Every structure is written in structure tokens, then in C-alpha cells.
């Protein structure tokens, strides 16, 4: 029972944290518009978030090793709360960018603590169920977070205060649990070249996944406002993307386990290109049509990271899984830092459809590279099982490693 209560506390902290962080990105975009920020400055906020996220992924395991799980979580939550509340003290976009770095640190650090705690408590018997519940809590809260902007007034202190309260509240479940803190795992070594040596296509796949997800979620409100969507409709637009991505995991996982994963990546990218072309080229698309294309875009682009990761692990040894997962996260974070700013600059120069043109070009490059890699070497004979991979921390590989090896033992 104590284990169940411990997991419940972790999941409640994740839900509150995701509600806070997931609502901040679109709120910042709409608030930036209200305050007269340029599109490039709005995109900079999204890029700054991922700068903090990347630094946090590297720093969090080391801080956690020094002060423990609960204190580490408290420190990162304090950073996140400061990062949100600081928005009410200044209207300068570069100050906001610095505050978004703090919020990115918070997200990476808190997820590192949660996943280290889960890794220490789960067993092989309950690992699958625990990860399923964890992903349900995370994705469900992310979906609801997108809808928050329909009720949050842009550039208003009350909106940021509410998100700060949610961030601070995430501290309560994990610090008040009576379950003992686990031992701190060693931080994984970061070897980005490992991912490229095992699968260049996987590196390309996670970069394109970052290009799609980071630019859409951070700059999507810029597109929505540019095509005349109201705040409520922008909330549904972003939520449709998340819902499509959540619904895709099972069918895409089945396809990725049954067919060559390079072929699955290619067809997913072709479908994503189709949704981008429809969205960018049809100027009089109805609101319902926009929502459907967003959902289809999420369905086709969201699982690309997991398929690419599974393909990379097909060519890795069991002892490489943790470091390989961290390397793939490194490449994802690298792409996610650049994508929002680049998307916003293109929107400034060419209009809202440029967002989807940029994403379509990225997927087209993945299609071409996938065809070339298919000819370069045969697919792996002994394949790991497909696992829906969260992009949350460098430690998530410890949670997923044994799930991938289950069929090999």
C-alpha cells in the first residue's frame, strides 16, 4: 500500500507540474502579442525554455546526488515558481526569456527526480503498469494544460499567479509522502556520438521530432492568432495536437514492431507532410478543419521520437541503453532549442503558413535520409520492443531499459 501511495504522490506532483508548465508556453505567446513582442521575440521564449531544459537534464542528477530527492525537487520547484511569477514584474521580452530558462530548469529537474524515484521503486512485475500510469498522468495533464489558455487572460498577473500556484502546489505531494527516499542513481554519461554511431537515422528522427513538437507547441499560438483563431480556439488547436499524439502510440507501436521501423518513419513523415501542406495551402480552411489537421499532425509527428529511439536501440547492446537514451535526449533538446526561434522568424518574414512549410521541409529531409539509410545497411535481425518514450529527462532511459530488454532475457 505504501508503494501505491508513493506512486500516487509522484503522479499528482507530475500532474500539477505539467498543468503549470504546459499552460505557460501558450500563455507567454499570447501575452507577448498583447504586449507588442515581435514574432522572433515570442519564439525566443520557447527556445529559452529548452535551453533551461537541456541544462537541467545535465545538472539535475548531480544536484540530486548532493541534496537528495525531496530537496532537489523543492529547489527546482522554487526556480519554476520564480520563473513564472517574475513575468508580472517586467514587460521586457529578454527578461521573460531569462525567466523561461528558469522554468525549463524546473521541468527537467523535477522530472529527473520523479523518474529516479520511480526507477528505484518499480519492479519488473509492475514496471509496465507503473509506466502506463505515469504516461497517462503526464499526457492527460498536458492535454488539459493546453485548454487552460481559454480561461487565462493574456498578460494579466492573475493568470501567471495561478500557474505559479500550481507549480508551487506540485511540491506538496512529493515532499509530504511518508515513503522513504531511494538511493540516488549515478548520472548517465553524456555521449552524443553514441546515438549517431548506432543509428544516424535515429538522430535525424529525433531532430525532426523536436522541429515538429517544439515549434508547434511553443509557436502554435502565433500561427493560431495569425489565422484569426480566438483564444478558446487556439486552446483547442493545441489540445488537438496533444490528443492526436496520445492516440497514435498504440497503433504506431504495433506497426513499428511488425514492420521495418525505417519504413514506419518514412510513412509517418509523408503523412505529416500531407497534413502540413493542407494546413499551409488552404487559406479558407474551417475551424473544424484546422482542428482535424492539428490532430492528424499530432498523430503522425508525435510518435516519430519513439520510433526513432526504438530503431536506435535495435543496434545497441543492453549496457548501452541508458547512455543511448540520454544521447537521443541530447539531440532532441538541441533541435528543440533552435526550432521555436527559427519558426517565429519565418512566420515574421513569410506569414503564419511558414510554420508548417518549415516542418514539412524537415520531414521531407527525413524521408530522403530514411530511404538512403535503408539502402546503406539491412534492418536489425534482433529487434527490441517498441516503447513510447517520454522526452522528460536523461534518466528516463533507466526506466525504459529493462522494458526494452524484456524480450531478450
Amino acid at each position: 500500500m505504501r508503494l501505491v501511495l508513493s506512486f500516487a504522490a509522484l503522479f499528482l506532483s507530475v500532474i500539477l507540474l505539467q498543468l503549470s508548465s504546459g499552460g505557460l508556453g501558450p500563455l507567454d505567446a499570447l501575452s507577448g502579442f498583447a504586449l507588442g513582442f515581435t514574432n522572433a521575440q515570442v519564439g525566443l521564449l520557447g527556445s529559452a525554455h529548452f535551453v533551461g531544459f537541456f541544462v537541467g537534464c545535465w545538472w539535475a542528477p548531480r544536484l540530486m546526488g548532493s541534496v537528495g530527492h525531496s530537496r532537489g525537487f523543492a529547489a527546482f520547484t522554487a526556480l519554476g515558481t520564480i520563473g513564472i511569477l517574475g513575468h508580472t514584474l517586467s514587460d521586457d521580452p529578454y527578461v521573460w526569456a531569462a525567466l523561461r530558462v528558469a522554468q525549463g530548469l524546473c521541468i527537467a529537474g523535477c522530472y529527473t527526480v520523479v523518474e529516479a524515484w520511480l526507477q528505484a521503486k518499480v519492479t519488473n512485475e509492475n514496471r509496465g503498469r507503473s509506466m502506463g500510469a505515469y504516461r497517462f498522468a503526464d499526457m492527460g495533464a498536458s492535454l488539459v494544460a493546453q485548454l487552460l489558455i481559454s480561461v487565462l487572460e493574456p498578460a494579466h498577473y492573475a493568470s501567471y499567479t495561478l500557474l505559479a500556484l500550481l507549480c508551487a502546489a506540485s511540491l506538496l505531494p512529493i515532499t509530504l509522502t511518508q515513503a522513504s527516499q531511494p538511493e540516488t542513481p549515478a548520472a548517465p554519461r553524456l555521449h552524443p556520438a553514441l546515438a549517431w554511431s548506432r543509428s544516424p537515422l535515429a538522430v535525424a528522427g529525433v531532430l525532426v521530432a523536436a522541429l515538429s513538437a517544439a515549434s508547434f507547441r511553443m509557436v502554435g499560438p502565433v500561427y493560431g492568432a495569425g489565422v484569426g483563431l480566438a483564444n478558446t480556439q487556439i486552446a483547442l488547436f493545441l489540445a488537438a495536437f496533444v490528443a492526436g499524439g496520445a492516440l497514435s502510440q498504440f497503433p504506431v507501436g504495433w506497426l513499428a514492431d511488425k514492420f521495418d521501423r525505417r519504413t514506419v518513419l518514412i510513412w509517418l513523415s509523408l503523412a505529416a507532410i500531407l497534413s502540413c501542406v493542407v494546413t499551409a495551402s488552404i487559406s479558407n480552411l474551417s475551424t473544424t478543419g484546422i482542428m482535424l489537421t492539428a490532430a492528424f499532425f499530432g498523430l503522425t509527428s508525435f510518435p516519430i521520437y519513439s520510433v526513432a529511439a526504438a530503431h536506435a536501440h535495435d543496434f545497441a547492446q543492453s549496457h548501452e541503453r541508458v547512455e543511448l537514451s540520454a544521447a537521443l535526449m541530447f539531440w532532441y533538446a538541441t533541435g528543440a532549442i533552435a526550432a521555436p526561434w527559427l519558426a517565429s522568424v519565418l512566420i515574421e518574414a513569410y506569414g503564419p503558413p511558414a510554420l508548417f512549410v518549415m516542418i514539412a521541409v524537415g520531414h521531407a529531409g527525413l524521408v530522403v535520409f530514411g530511404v538512403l539509410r535503408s539502402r546503406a545497411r539491412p534492418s536489425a535481425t534482433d529487434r527490441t520492443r517498441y516503447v513510447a518514450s517520454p522526452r522528460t529527462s536523461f534518466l528516463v532511459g533507466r526506466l525504459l531499459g529493462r522494458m526494452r530488454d524484456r524480450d531478450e532475457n
Side-chain angles (χ1 to χ4, degrees):
M1 178 60 70
R2 176 170 292 184
L3 183 63
V4 173
L5 292 176
S6 175
F7 283 175
L10 292 175
F11 297 158
L12 182 55
S13 288
V14 166
I15 289 170
L16 293 168
L17 187 69
Q18 184 62 263
L19 287 174
S20 172
S21 172
L24 181 62
L27 178 63
D28 264 2
L30 297 178
S31 297
F33 271 124
L35 295 171
F37 294 1
T38 65
N39 286 338
Q41 289 169 337
V42 171
L44 178 65
L45 301 180
S47 294
H49 170 87
F50 285 105
V51 170
F53 175 81
F54 174 77
V55 174
C57 283
W58 177 84
W59 179 41
R62 293 155 180 81
L63 178 67
M64 190 171 59
S66 301
V67 303
H69 291 66
S70 293
R71 289 180 178 177
F73 193 93
F76 284 114
T77 303
L79 273 175
T81 305
I82 292 169
I84 298 173
L85 282 178
H87 284 69
T88 63
L89 303 178
S90 173
D91 293 341
D92 188 293
Y94 300 104
V95 172
W96 280 28
L99 294 169
R100 288 301 299 274
V101 172
Q103 234 283 319
L105 281 164
C106 165
I107 294 302
C110 289
Y111 272 103
T112 296
V113 172
V114 168
E115 288 168 1
W117 206 312
L118 278 173
Q119 163 63 22
K121 296 296 185 180
V122 298
T123 64
N124 286 339
E125 288 71 26
N126 65 16
R127 187 178 301 271
R129 295 191 302 275
S130 299
M131 280 301 298
Y134 173 51
R135 291 296 287 148
F136 179 80
D138 183 44
M139 292 290 292
S142 178
L143 179 62
V144 175
Q146 309 309 307
L147 299 174
L148 281 178
I149 61 170
S150 63
V151 297
L152 295 177
E153 183 179 348
H156 196 278
Y157 77 93
S159 300
Y160 286 98
T161 300
L162 175 61
L163 294 183
L165 288 173
L166 289 171
C167 185
S170 69
L171 181 62
L172 297 177
I174 200 169
T175 54
L176 294 179
T177 179
Q178 295 182 359
S180 59
Q181 294 189 59
E183 294 183 4
T184 303
R189 293 178 296 175
L190 188 56
H191 294 307
L194 176 63
W196 182 265
S197 67
R198 294 298 172 265
S199 174
L201 179 60
V203 173
V206 299
L207 286 172
V208 172
L211 181 75
S212 300
S215 59
F216 186 91
R217 296 187 71 171
M218 295 297 175
V219 189
V222 177
Y223 170 86
V227 298
L229 296 180
N231 286 359
T232 301
Q233 294 171 322
I234 292 174
L236 293 173
F237 177 64
L238 298 175
F241 168 78
V242 176
L247 291 173
S248 69
Q249 294 300 332
F250 178 78
V252 171
W254 181 82
L255 290 171
D257 282 340
K258 188 173 180 63
F259 300 102
D260 189 330
R261 284 165 180 169
R262 291 171 297 196
T263 302
V264 175
L265 277 176
I266 290 170
W267 280 104
L268 283 173
S269 278
L270 287 172
I273 291 170
L274 175 62
S275 68
C276 289
V277 169
V278 170
T279 305
S281 61
I282 301 180
S283 58
N284 60 346
L285 195 63
S286 67
T287 301
T288 301
I290 292 175
M291 302 306 167
L292 289 175
T293 55
F296 185 66
F297 176 66
L299 189 144
T300 55
S301 64
F302 205 90
I304 283 179
Y305 181 94
S306 296
V307 177
H311 179 64
H313 282 278
D314 288 344
F315 296 96
Q317 302 297 318
S318 294
H319 68 275
E320 296 175 324
R321 302 230 182 275
V322 174
E323 291 183 11
L324 178 56
S325 294
L328 291 171
M329 276 291 299
F330 166 87
W331 290 110
Y332 179 85
T334 301
I337 289 171
W341 178 81
L342 178 59
S344 63
V345 168
L346 291 174
I347 289 176
E348 182 113 27
Y350 302 105
L355 169 65
F356 289 98
V357 173
M358 180 196 76
I359 295 173
V361 170
H363 281 278
L366 184 59
V367 169
V368 172
F369 194 52
V371 172
L372 293 176
R373 292 303 303 171
S374 296
R375 296 177 179 178
R377 68 174 174 181
S379 59
T381 53
D382 296 324
R383 302 200 300 173
T384 61
R385 60 178 301 186
Y386 174 89
V387 177
S389 303
R391 284 94 78 179
T392 46
S393 80
F394 286 169
L395 292 186
V396 72
R398 297 187 184 279
L399 276 170
L400 302 180
R402 291 186 180 179
M403 294 180 69
R404 296 187 190 279
D405 287 337
R406 185 180 297 171
D407 295 336
E408 301 176 12
N409 296 332

